[in-house]
Amino acid sequence: MHTHSEENYLKSIFKLSQLGRKKVSVKAIADALGNNPASVIDMLKKLTDKNLITYEKTSGAQLEAEGLAAAVNVVRRHRLWEVFLKEKLEYSWAEVHEIAEQLEHIRPLDLADRLDKYLGFPEFDPHGDPIPDAKGKLQDTKRMTLSEIECGQVCRVVAVKDTSTDFLSYLQQLDIGIGTQLTVIEKINFDNSVKLCMPNGVITTVSKKFAESLMVA
């Protein structure tokens, strides 16, 4: 059995590795968790001693088989709880992440399976992220950031990279959610902001950071 802190580190390494990083740097983990690098290094050494990861100072951390299984289980529980909170308790998608951060550590081994069945075996969470199945398999998804879409192209929102309350609340203000269709009208060279046409015909301009935080297909 792993501590909550250990599970958070394993989950963070897993999510960062999903961005195409074979080995995850201390800085990336520190930034993701809001911890200082010295604390991160201490934990990585503990996880290495437990054979959950491999860690090299120059190249970073990589999950071992047991660590990967533990990380996927935490991710699965987290995303299932997000679905439950939004669909059954009617929390907004801006609220569910923080609550699920606490619920993901609940221990009964069969709880995730029961929750999965109760929810009808959902494939994606409210933010568009794929939910691992009981065997730990993730849906193969093809997506890119809004910043990668060319002018004149139409795209559909499929997920968010940034699950912070501030960003999700901003999306709600703009009436953008999973499935919203957007048309890229213009990319502004000065600051790399993006001018969009919304489904209702309204034109709005979003920042580079915004465009890099929204996943589309």
Side-chain angles (χ1 to χ4, degrees):
M1 185 176 292
H2 312 300
T3 68
H4 291 189
S5 181
E6 288 171 345
E7 288 186 339
N8 286 336
Y9 269 84
L10 294 172
K11 180 182 69 172
S12 180
I13 294 169
F14 172 78
K15 292 175 74 172
L16 289 167
S17 68
Q18 291 291 294
L19 301 176
R21 306 175 185 181
K22 186 175 181 181
K23 293 192 175 183
V24 182
S25 70
V26 169
K27 184 180 185 304
I29 298 169
D31 290 345
L33 294 174
N35 292 344
N36 65 69
S39 297
V40 172
I41 291 171
D42 286 343
M43 177 58 79
L44 294 182
K45 289 178 179 178
K46 291 178 183 178
L47 296 175
T48 300
D49 290 341
K50 292 188 175 184
N51 296 317
L52 297 172
I53 68 167
T54 56
Y55 166 64
E56 296 176 1
K57 185 176 180 180
T58 54
S59 57
Q62 184 175 5
L63 294 169
E64 289 288 293
E66 185 179 345
L68 176 60
V72 170
N73 281 332
V74 178
V75 169
R76 181 176 183 235
R77 294 196 299 266
H78 181 101
R79 293 176 181 175
L80 285 170
W81 278 121
E82 286 193 339
V83 175
F84 176 81
L85 291 164
K86 188 171 188 301
E87 292 188 358
K88 304 303 179 181
L89 301 186
E90 299 182 353
Y91 282 93
S92 72
W93 75 337
E95 298 173 299
V96 297
H97 178 74
E98 293 301 324
I99 303 172
E101 283 284 298
Q102 302 171 58
L103 294 172
E104 69 186 26
H105 300 294
I106 296 176
R107 296 298 182 185
L109 296 177
D110 66 341
L111 180 59
D113 292 337
R114 290 176 180 239
L115 189 59
D116 198 11
K117 182 178 179 180
Y118 174 70
L119 295 169
F121 305 101
E123 295 181 347
F124 298 92
D125 73 11
H127 307 118
D129 291 317
I131 300 173
D133 64 18
K135 295 181 179 179
K137 184 179 179 181
L138 281 164
Q139 285 274 8
D140 184 20
T141 55
K142 294 182 179 179
R143 52 185 63 175
M144 60 187 71
T145 63
L146 177 62
S147 61
E148 296 175 274
I149 300 297
E150 299 296 331
C151 292
Q153 288 189 322
V154 178
C155 58
R156 177 175 55 85
V157 177
V158 294
V160 291
K161 286 178 66 177
D162 184 348
T163 56
S164 67
T165 300
D166 287 343
F167 183 59
L168 296 176
S169 297
Y170 184 40
L171 287 173
Q172 286 183 312
Q173 291 177 28
L174 296 176
D175 199 23
I176 294 175
I178 302 300
T180 300
Q181 184 172 290
L182 304 170
T183 303
V184 175
I185 301 299
E186 182 183 358
K187 291 187 172 182
I188 300 170
N189 292 330
F190 173 70
D191 59 1
N192 293 312
S193 57
V194 179
K195 187 176 290 186
L196 302 172
C197 180
M198 309 291 282
N200 59 5
V202 171
I203 305 297
T204 189
T205 301
V206 298
S207 68
K208 175 186 177 183
K209 181 179 180 180
F210 181 104
E212 291 176 342
S213 299
L214 203 62
M215 304 302 294
V216 299

PDB file of all heavy atoms in Angstrom, residues 1-24:
ATOM      1  N   MET A   1       0.850  -1.191   0.000  1.00  0.00           N
ATOM      2  CA  MET A   1       0.000   0.000   0.000  1.00  0.00           C
ATOM      3  C   MET A   1       0.892   1.250   0.000  1.00  0.00           C
ATOM      4  O   MET A   1       1.882   1.307   0.713  1.00  0.00           O
ATOM      5  CB  MET A   1      -0.917  -0.001   1.213  1.00  0.00           C
ATOM      6  CG  MET A   1      -1.926   1.139   1.226  1.00  0.00           C
ATOM      7  SD  MET A   1      -3.085   1.042   2.617  1.00  0.00           S
ATOM      8  CE  MET A   1      -3.996  -0.430   2.153  1.00  0.00           C
ATOM      9  N   HIS A   2       0.513   2.226  -0.802  1.00  0.00           N
ATOM     10  CA  HIS A   2       1.317   3.437  -0.944  1.00  0.00           C
ATOM     11  C   HIS A   2       0.649   4.600  -0.217  1.00  0.00           C
ATOM     12  O   HIS A   2      -0.578   4.666  -0.088  1.00  0.00           O
ATOM     13  CB  HIS A   2       1.485   3.770  -2.427  1.00  0.00           C
ATOM     14  CG  HIS A   2       1.888   2.600  -3.257  1.00  0.00           C
ATOM     15  ND1 HIS A   2       3.063   1.904  -3.037  1.00  0.00           N
ATOM     16  CD2 HIS A   2       1.274   1.985  -4.298  1.00  0.00           C
ATOM     17  CE1 HIS A   2       3.154   0.915  -3.908  1.00  0.00           C
ATOM     18  NE2 HIS A   2       2.085   0.934  -4.680  1.00  0.00           N
ATOM     19  N   THR A   3       1.465   5.552   0.241  1.00  0.00           N
ATOM     20  CA  THR A   3       0.926   6.736   0.899  1.00  0.00           C
ATOM     21  C   THR A   3       0.275   7.650  -0.133  1.00  0.00           C
ATOM     22  O   THR A   3       0.506   7.525  -1.344  1.00  0.00           O
ATOM     23  CB  THR A   3       2.034   7.503   1.627  1.00  0.00           C
ATOM     24  OG1 THR A   3       2.932   8.059   0.646  1.00  0.00           O
ATOM     25  CG2 THR A   3       2.803   6.602   2.578  1.00  0.00           C
ATOM     26  N   HIS A   4      -0.538   8.596   0.363  1.00  0.00           N
ATOM     27  CA  HIS A   4      -1.166   9.557  -0.539  1.00  0.00           C
ATOM     28  C   HIS A   4      -0.115  10.338  -1.318  1.00  0.00           C
ATOM     29  O   HIS A   4      -0.265  10.593  -2.517  1.00  0.00           O
ATOM     30  CB  HIS A   4      -2.059  10.520   0.247  1.00  0.00           C
ATOM     31  CG  HIS A   4      -3.279   9.874   0.827  1.00  0.00           C
ATOM     32  ND1 HIS A   4      -4.289  10.582   1.411  1.00  0.00           N
ATOM     33  CD2 HIS A   4      -3.644   8.572   0.901  1.00  0.00           C
ATOM     34  CE1 HIS A   4      -5.223   9.760   1.841  1.00  0.00           C
ATOM     35  NE2 HIS A   4      -4.851   8.527   1.534  1.00  0.00           N
ATOM     36  N   SER A   5       0.940  10.737  -0.631  1.00  0.00           N
ATOM     37  CA  SER A   5       2.001  11.503  -1.270  1.00  0.00           C
ATOM     38  C   SER A   5       2.677  10.686  -2.374  1.00  0.00           C
ATOM     39  O   SER A   5       2.936  11.200  -3.467  1.00  0.00           O
ATOM     40  CB  SER A   5       3.030  11.948  -0.233  1.00  0.00           C
ATOM     41  OG  SER A   5       4.047  12.720  -0.838  1.00  0.00           O
ATOM     42  N   GLU A   6       2.954   9.426  -2.084  1.00  0.00           N
ATOM     43  CA  GLU A   6       3.573   8.555  -3.090  1.00  0.00           C
ATOM     44  C   GLU A   6       2.668   8.410  -4.301  1.00  0.00           C
ATOM     45  O   GLU A   6       3.125   8.464  -5.457  1.00  0.00           O
ATOM     46  CB  GLU A   6       3.877   7.186  -2.481  1.00  0.00           C
ATOM     47  CG  GLU A   6       5.031   7.202  -1.495  1.00  0.00           C
ATOM     48  CD  GLU A   6       5.182   5.897  -0.733  1.00  0.00           C
ATOM     49  OE1 GLU A   6       4.232   5.076  -0.754  1.00  0.00           O
ATOM     50  OE2 GLU A   6       6.247   5.688  -0.127  1.00  0.00           O
ATOM     51  N   GLU A   7       1.379   8.234  -4.062  1.00  0.00           N
ATOM     52  CA  GLU A   7       0.428   8.104  -5.174  1.00  0.00           C
ATOM     53  C   GLU A   7       0.393   9.382  -6.007  1.00  0.00           C
ATOM     54  O   GLU A   7       0.303   9.325  -7.242  1.00  0.00           O
ATOM     55  CB  GLU A   7      -0.961   7.778  -4.641  1.00  0.00           C
ATOM     56  CG  GLU A   7      -1.089   6.360  -4.114  1.00  0.00           C
ATOM     57  CD  GLU A   7      -2.501   6.000  -3.719  1.00  0.00           C
ATOM     58  OE1 GLU A   7      -3.323   6.917  -3.468  1.00  0.00           O
ATOM     59  OE2 GLU A   7      -2.799   4.797  -3.656  1.00  0.00           O
ATOM     60  N   ASN A   8       0.459  10.537  -5.357  1.00  0.00           N
ATOM     61  CA  ASN A   8       0.447  11.801  -6.091  1.00  0.00           C
ATOM     62  C   ASN A   8       1.680  11.933  -6.985  1.00  0.00           C
ATOM     63  O   ASN A   8       1.590  12.420  -8.113  1.00  0.00           O
ATOM     64  CB  ASN A   8       0.385  12.979  -5.118  1.00  0.00           C
ATOM     65  CG  ASN A   8      -0.988  13.141  -4.493  1.00  0.00           C
ATOM     66  OD1 ASN A   8      -1.991  12.710  -5.058  1.00  0.00           O
ATOM     67  ND2 ASN A   8      -1.045  13.749  -3.319  1.00  0.00           N
ATOM     68  N   TYR A   9       2.818  11.499  -6.486  1.00  0.00           N
ATOM     69  CA  TYR A   9       4.046  11.554  -7.286  1.00  0.00           C
ATOM     70  C   TYR A   9       3.965  10.588  -8.466  1.00  0.00           C
ATOM     71  O   TYR A   9       4.318  10.945  -9.602  1.00  0.00           O
ATOM     72  CB  TYR A   9       5.262  11.220  -6.416  1.00  0.00           C
ATOM     73  CG  TYR A   9       5.884  12.434  -5.776  1.00  0.00           C
ATOM     74  CD1 TYR A   9       5.372  12.945  -4.590  1.00  0.00           C
ATOM     75  CD2 TYR A   9       6.969  13.077  -6.348  1.00  0.00           C
ATOM     76  CE1 TYR A   9       5.932  14.064  -3.989  1.00  0.00           C
ATOM     77  CE2 TYR A   9       7.544  14.196  -5.756  1.00  0.00           C
ATOM     78  CZ  TYR A   9       7.018  14.682  -4.576  1.00  0.00           C
ATOM     79  OH  TYR A   9       7.581  15.799  -3.995  1.00  0.00           O
ATOM     80  N   LEU A  10       3.504   9.380  -8.218  1.00  0.00           N
ATOM     81  CA  LEU A  10       3.393   8.393  -9.300  1.00  0.00           C
ATOM     82  C   LEU A  10       2.420   8.874 -10.371  1.00  0.00           C
ATOM     83  O   LEU A  10       2.682   8.752 -11.572  1.00  0.00           O
ATOM     84  CB  LEU A  10       2.936   7.043  -8.731  1.00  0.00           C
ATOM     85  CG  LEU A  10       3.926   6.345  -7.792  1.00  0.00           C
ATOM     86  CD1 LEU A  10       3.268   5.135  -7.145  1.00  0.00           C
ATOM     87  CD2 LEU A  10       5.189   5.923  -8.541  1.00  0.00           C
ATOM     88  N   LYS A  11       1.311   9.450  -9.934  1.00  0.00           N
ATOM     89  CA  LYS A  11       0.318   9.973 -10.877  1.00  0.00           C
ATOM     90  C   LYS A  11       0.914  11.112 -11.700  1.00  0.00           C
ATOM     91  O   LYS A  11       0.702  11.193 -12.922  1.00  0.00           O
ATOM     92  CB  LYS A  11      -0.925  10.454 -10.124  1.00  0.00           C
ATOM     93  CG  LYS A  11      -2.022  11.014 -11.027  1.00  0.00           C
ATOM     94  CD  LYS A  11      -3.210  11.516 -10.224  1.00  0.00           C
ATOM     95  CE  LYS A  11      -2.877  12.742  -9.427  1.00  0.00           C
ATOM     96  NZ  LYS A  11      -4.074  13.363  -8.785  1.00  0.00           N
ATOM     97  N   SER A  12       1.650  11.992 -11.041  1.00  0.00           N
ATOM     98  CA  SER A  12       2.258  13.124 -11.732  1.00  0.00           C
ATOM     99  C   SER A  12       3.265  12.652 -12.775  1.00  0.00           C
ATOM    100  O   SER A  12       3.281  13.158 -13.906  1.00  0.00           O
ATOM    101  CB  SER A  12       2.934  14.050 -10.725  1.00  0.00           C
ATOM    102  OG  SER A  12       3.529  15.153 -11.365  1.00  0.00           O
ATOM    103  N   ILE A  13       4.108  11.688 -12.415  1.00  0.00           N
ATOM    104  CA  ILE A  13       5.092  11.156 -13.367  1.00  0.00           C
ATOM    105  C   ILE A  13       4.379  10.516 -14.551  1.00  0.00           C
ATOM    106  O   ILE A  13       4.774  10.698 -15.713  1.00  0.00           O
ATOM    107  CB  ILE A  13       6.022  10.139 -12.667  1.00  0.00           C
ATOM    108  CG1 ILE A  13       6.870  10.839 -11.609  1.00  0.00           C
ATOM    109  CG2 ILE A  13       6.932   9.449 -13.683  1.00  0.00           C
ATOM    110  CD1 ILE A  13       7.626   9.882 -10.695  1.00  0.00           C
ATOM    111  N   PHE A  14       3.306   9.792 -14.265  1.00  0.00           N
ATOM    112  CA  PHE A  14       2.535   9.158 -15.343  1.00  0.00           C
ATOM    113  C   PHE A  14       1.960  10.199 -16.297  1.00  0.00           C
ATOM    114  O   PHE A  14       2.094  10.079 -17.524  1.00  0.00           O
ATOM    115  CB  PHE A  14       1.402   8.319 -14.748  1.00  0.00           C
ATOM    116  CG  PHE A  14       0.439   7.788 -15.770  1.00  0.00           C
ATOM    117  CD1 PHE A  14       0.774   6.687 -16.551  1.00  0.00           C
ATOM    118  CD2 PHE A  14      -0.791   8.393 -15.977  1.00  0.00           C
ATOM    119  CE1 PHE A  14      -0.104   6.198 -17.514  1.00  0.00           C
ATOM    120  CE2 PHE A  14      -1.676   7.923 -16.928  1.00  0.00           C
ATOM    121  CZ  PHE A  14      -1.329   6.821 -17.696  1.00  0.00           C
ATOM    122  N   LYS A  15       1.312  11.222 -15.752  1.00  0.00           N
ATOM    123  CA  LYS A  15       0.668  12.229 -16.598  1.00  0.00           C
ATOM    124  C   LYS A  15       1.694  13.008 -17.415  1.00  0.00           C
ATOM    125  O   LYS A  15       1.460  13.324 -18.588  1.00  0.00           O
ATOM    126  CB  LYS A  15      -0.175  13.162 -15.733  1.00  0.00           C
ATOM    127  CG  LYS A  15      -1.381  12.463 -15.116  1.00  0.00           C
ATOM    128  CD  LYS A  15      -2.144  13.354 -14.154  1.00  0.00           C
ATOM    129  CE  LYS A  15      -2.950  14.395 -14.875  1.00  0.00           C
ATOM    130  NZ  LYS A  15      -3.837  15.147 -13.938  1.00  0.00           N
ATOM    131  N   LEU A  16       2.837  13.295 -16.822  1.00  0.00           N
ATOM    132  CA  LEU A  16       3.891  14.002 -17.554  1.00  0.00           C
ATOM    133  C   LEU A  16       4.487  13.105 -18.642  1.00  0.00           C
ATOM    134  O   LEU A  16       4.827  13.583 -19.728  1.00  0.00           O
ATOM    135  CB  LEU A  16       4.985  14.462 -16.594  1.00  0.00           C
ATOM    136  CG  LEU A  16       4.590  15.608 -15.653  1.00  0.00           C
ATOM    137  CD1 LEU A  16       5.612  15.769 -14.534  1.00  0.00           C
ATOM    138  CD2 LEU A  16       4.440  16.914 -16.425  1.00  0.00           C
ATOM    139  N   SER A  17       4.591  11.816 -18.369  1.00  0.00           N
ATOM    140  CA  SER A  17       5.125  10.889 -19.373  1.00  0.00           C
ATOM    141  C   SER A  17       4.165  10.740 -20.548  1.00  0.00           C
ATOM    142  O   SER A  17       4.587  10.430 -21.663  1.00  0.00           O
ATOM    143  CB  SER A  17       5.412   9.522 -18.752  1.00  0.00           C
ATOM    144  OG  SER A  17       4.218   8.859 -18.383  1.00  0.00           O
ATOM    145  N   GLN A  18       2.868  10.987 -20.300  1.00  0.00           N
ATOM    146  CA  GLN A  18       1.877  10.913 -21.374  1.00  0.00           C
ATOM    147  C   GLN A  18       2.045  12.056 -22.377  1.00  0.00           C
ATOM    148  O   GLN A  18       1.475  12.022 -23.461  1.00  0.00           O
ATOM    149  CB  GLN A  18       0.456  10.953 -20.787  1.00  0.00           C
ATOM    150  CG  GLN A  18       0.075   9.715 -19.995  1.00  0.00           C
ATOM    151  CD  GLN A  18      -0.086   8.494 -20.870  1.00  0.00           C
ATOM    152  OE1 GLN A  18      -0.978   8.425 -21.701  1.00  0.00           O
ATOM    153  NE2 GLN A  18       0.788   7.517 -20.701  1.00  0.00           N
ATOM    154  N   LEU A  19       2.816  13.064 -22.001  1.00  0.00           N
ATOM    155  CA  LEU A  19       3.081  14.190 -22.906  1.00  0.00           C
ATOM    156  C   LEU A  19       4.251  13.900 -23.837  1.00  0.00           C
ATOM    157  O   LEU A  19       4.705  14.776 -24.564  1.00  0.00           O
ATOM    158  CB  LEU A  19       3.366  15.456 -22.093  1.00  0.00           C
ATOM    159  CG  LEU A  19       2.253  15.915 -21.143  1.00  0.00           C
ATOM    160  CD1 LEU A  19       2.715  17.119 -20.325  1.00  0.00           C
ATOM    161  CD2 LEU A  19       0.991  16.247 -21.923  1.00  0.00           C
ATOM    162  N   GLY A  20       4.742  12.659 -23.799  1.00  0.00           N
ATOM    163  CA  GLY A  20       5.800  12.259 -24.711  1.00  0.00           C
ATOM    164  C   GLY A  20       7.188  12.248 -24.103  1.00  0.00           C
ATOM    165  O   GLY A  20       8.172  12.097 -24.815  1.00  0.00           O
ATOM    166  N   ARG A  21       7.254  12.401 -22.790  1.00  0.00           N
ATOM    167  CA  ARG A  21       8.559  12.393 -22.123  1.00  0.00           C
ATOM    168  C   ARG A  21       8.849  10.982 -21.612  1.00  0.00           C
ATOM    169  O   ARG A  21       8.130  10.468 -20.755  1.00  0.00           O
ATOM    170  CB  ARG A  21       8.559  13.362 -20.946  1.00  0.00           C
ATOM    171  CG  ARG A  21       8.123  14.776 -21.326  1.00  0.00           C
ATOM    172  CD  ARG A  21       8.016  15.653 -20.088  1.00  0.00           C
ATOM    173  NE  ARG A  21       7.482  16.966 -20.413  1.00  0.00           N
ATOM    174  CZ  ARG A  21       7.299  17.930 -19.520  1.00  0.00           C
ATOM    175  NH1 ARG A  21       7.620  17.729 -18.263  1.00  0.00           N
ATOM    176  NH2 ARG A  21       6.797  19.092 -19.884  1.00  0.00           N
ATOM    177  N   LYS A  22       9.905  10.359 -22.116  1.00  0.00           N
ATOM    178  CA  LYS A  22      10.256   9.022 -21.649  1.00  0.00           C
ATOM    179  C   LYS A  22      10.680   9.059 -20.198  1.00  0.00           C
ATOM    180  O   LYS A  22      10.283   8.212 -19.388  1.00  0.00           O
ATOM    181  CB  LYS A  22      11.380   8.428 -22.514  1.00  0.00           C
ATOM    182  CG  LYS A  22      11.702   6.992 -22.172  1.00  0.00           C
ATOM    183  CD  LYS A  22      12.739   6.424 -23.130  1.00  0.00           C
ATOM    184  CE  LYS A  22      13.040   4.971 -22.777  1.00  0.00           C
ATOM    185  NZ  LYS A  22      14.067   4.380 -23.686  1.00  0.00           N
ATOM    186  N   LYS A  23      11.502  10.061 -19.856  1.00  0.00           N
ATOM    187  CA  LYS A  23      11.901  10.273 -18.473  1.00  0.00           C
ATOM    188  C   LYS A  23      11.520  11.696 -18.074  1.00  0.00           C
ATOM    189  O   LYS A  23      11.702  12.638 -18.847  1.00  0.00           O
ATOM    190  CB  LYS A  23      13.391  10.022 -18.289  1.00  0.00           C
ATOM    191  CG  LYS A  23      13.776   8.553 -18.496  1.00  0.00           C
ATOM    192  CD  LYS A  23      15.193   8.266 -18.034  1.00  0.00           C
ATOM    193  CE  LYS A  23      15.502   6.776 -18.148  1.00  0.00           C
ATOM    194  NZ  LYS A  23      16.853   6.440 -17.649  1.00  0.00           N
ATOM    195  N   VAL A  24      10.997  11.827 -16.869  1.00  0.00           N
ATOM    196  CA  VAL A  24      10.448  13.101 -16.413  1.00  0.00           C
ATOM    197  C   VAL A  24      11.426  13.789 -15.478  1.00  0.00           C
ATOM    198  O   VAL A  24      11.913  13.185 -14.519  1.00  0.00           O
ATOM    199  CB  VAL A  24       9.102  12.874 -15.701  1.00  0.00           C
ATOM    200  CG1 VAL A  24       8.502  14.200 -15.271  1.00  0.00           C
ATOM    201  CG2 VAL A  24       8.137  12.118 -16.616  1.00  0.00           C
TER     202      VAL A  24
END
